[in-house]
Amino acid sequence: MPAVPSILNADLHCHSIVSDGTLTPEDLAQRARANGVELWALTDHDEIGGQRRAAAAAKANGLRYLTGCEISVTFAGETVHIVGLGFDAEDPRMVQGLADTRDGRGPRAREMAEGLAKVGIHGAYEGALKFVGNPALISRTHFARFLVETGHCKDTPEVFRKYLTEGKPGYVPHRWANLKDAVSWITQGGGIAVIAHPGRYKFSATEEYALFSEFKAHGGRGVEVVTGSHTPAEYVEYADMAREFGLAASRGSDFHSPDESHCDLGALPYLPGDLTPVWELLADRIQ
Ligand code: AMP
Ligand code: MN
Ligand code: MN
Ligand code: MN
């Protein structure tokens, strides 16, 4: 594989119907190419069932590809997302770890539906299932689509605000993977662990410092700096965190759907030139 430049239209975070996106891996690859993406990773939540299709579609579209996944982790009582890139998607520890992480989603979804029924929204479990592409991966996003379809809310952010976040009727607390395990599943298979969209977590400065320190101590090596989930001020803030903690930087739209996502595949500013891009550490993992 030839050396990969540091200024690159890389999109290393997005979702397909294998988790809570609405496009197939093939449609995403085509859209990525149309938008000028040069290096791509599909990062479905807690699931790598789309990796083969994504890698084949990347090849068919002339895109370079890294294996990807976004793992749900519980840290300091909050949900944190860890993106894995360039890992071995056949590694049994990764495969089993993700299966265990997905396991609680079914019962959680039924409890969410019970909570919604208490405020007069009936049939939410069955309704959400209609939007699910992968029965092992029912998520809050699928409930949100059902609540928009049935006219309870105008869009998915409104559903999250009114129904699906802490203290709201459809919210069910959940324990995901732990940070150390998630990082090790990724790194044992030759990949790099990346803190996803750190600007989205409701941590105090002390908790955030603890997240970055522990993540690094467990072998984590990257942080998303430029992501569809950050404001331009957060690009600057987390570029500084990358420098402070000696982490490589990643870039990804977090694209889910043409109808819902405000940031399209490949449509982000480049990473600041002085940061080490994660793909520089993954040159031998690029397909
Ligand atoms: P889950 O893994 O089931 O807890 O669902 C998390 C997913 O919900 C995230 O990956 C996002 O796709 C989506 N999500 C979370 N918060 C919001 C929000 N405020 N507005 C729209 N989508 C959201
Ligand atoms: Mn999602
Ligand atoms: Mn996320
Ligand atoms: Mn995501």
Side-chain angles (χ1 to χ4, degrees):
M1 182 60 57
V4 187
S6 66
I7 297 297
L8 185 76
N9 191 344
D11 195 321
L12 305 179
H13 189 150
C14 69
H15 300 272
S16 77
I17 48 162
V18 173
S19 65
D20 62 348
T22 62
L23 301 185
T24 61
E26 291 77 15
D27 287 344
L28 285 168
Q30 265 185 22
R31 192 178 183 98
R33 178 168 84 166
N35 289 357
V37 171
E38 295 159 278
L39 174 66
W40 178 48
L42 171 66
T43 56
D44 278 310
H45 295 284
D46 307 327
E47 175 62 273
I48 49 180
Q51 291 304 306
R52 275 183 195 211
R53 284 172 67 180
K59 196 167 183 188
N61 282 282
L63 305 174
R64 287 180 278 193
Y65 189 73
L66 283 167
T67 54
C69 186
E70 182 176 19
I71 307 180
S72 311
V73 158
T74 301
F75 181 84
E78 295 285 333
T79 300
V80 164
H81 287 168
I82 300 296
V83 163
L85 296 171
F87 53 84
D88 173 6
E90 315 282 321
D91 186 300
R93 292 164 293 198
M94 178 65 137
V95 171
Q96 188 58 48
L98 293 180
D100 293 344
T101 307
R102 287 193 298 271
D103 234 16
R105 282 188 177 269
R108 168 189 188 238
R110 289 194 181 274
E111 264 191 72
M112 287 169 62
E114 283 166 23
L116 291 169
K118 283 187 189 140
V119 294
I121 300 171
H122 297 281
Y125 179 75
E126 295 72 19
L129 267 188
K130 280 192 300 171
F131 292 95
V132 166
N134 168 9
L137 214 292
I138 183 162
S139 90
R140 286 187 289 164
T141 313
H142 303 114
F143 281 84
R145 291 184 186 135
F146 167 70
L147 269 82
V148 171
E149 182 199 35
T150 48
H152 288 95
C153 293
K154 68 173 193 322
D155 56 22
T156 52
E158 186 186 339
V159 183
F160 277 86
R161 262 197 321 276
K162 289 191 175 162
Y163 295 105
L164 300 181
T165 40
E166 210 171 333
K168 301 296 157 65
Y171 182 77
V172 173
H174 193 74
R175 187 142 201 103
W176 303 104
N178 79 53
L179 181 65
K180 184 177 183 203
D181 290 346
V183 171
S184 75
W185 303 332
I186 297 163
T187 55
Q188 284 167 356
I192 282 194
V194 177
I195 301 175
H197 45 61
R200 266 183 35 190
Y201 310 128
K202 309 267 176 284
F203 286 138
S204 66
T206 313
E207 288 167 331
E208 185 178 70
Y209 190 89
L211 170 66
F212 275 70
S213 311
E214 289 184 34
F215 171 75
K216 208 171 166 189
H218 296 318
R221 296 184 68 191
V223 59
E224 284 184 348
V225 170
V226 175
T227 133
S229 300
H230 281 175
T231 61
E234 286 167 335
Y235 302 159
V236 175
E237 183 181 345
Y238 290 100
D240 279 343
M241 289 290 272
R243 292 181 194 108
E244 181 179 346
F245 282 86
L247 294 170
S250 193
R251 175 181 190 265
S253 57
D254 208 354
F255 180 79
H256 284 68
S257 158
D259 302 323
E260 295 164 11
S261 299
H262 63 274
C263 180
D264 208 335
L265 286 161
L268 283 167
Y270 288 117
L271 290 172
D274 68 305
L275 299 180
T276 303
V278 285
W279 52 88
E280 212 171 285
L281 309 179
L282 288 164
D284 60 336
R285 312 294 297 179
I286 296 176
Q287 303 177 33

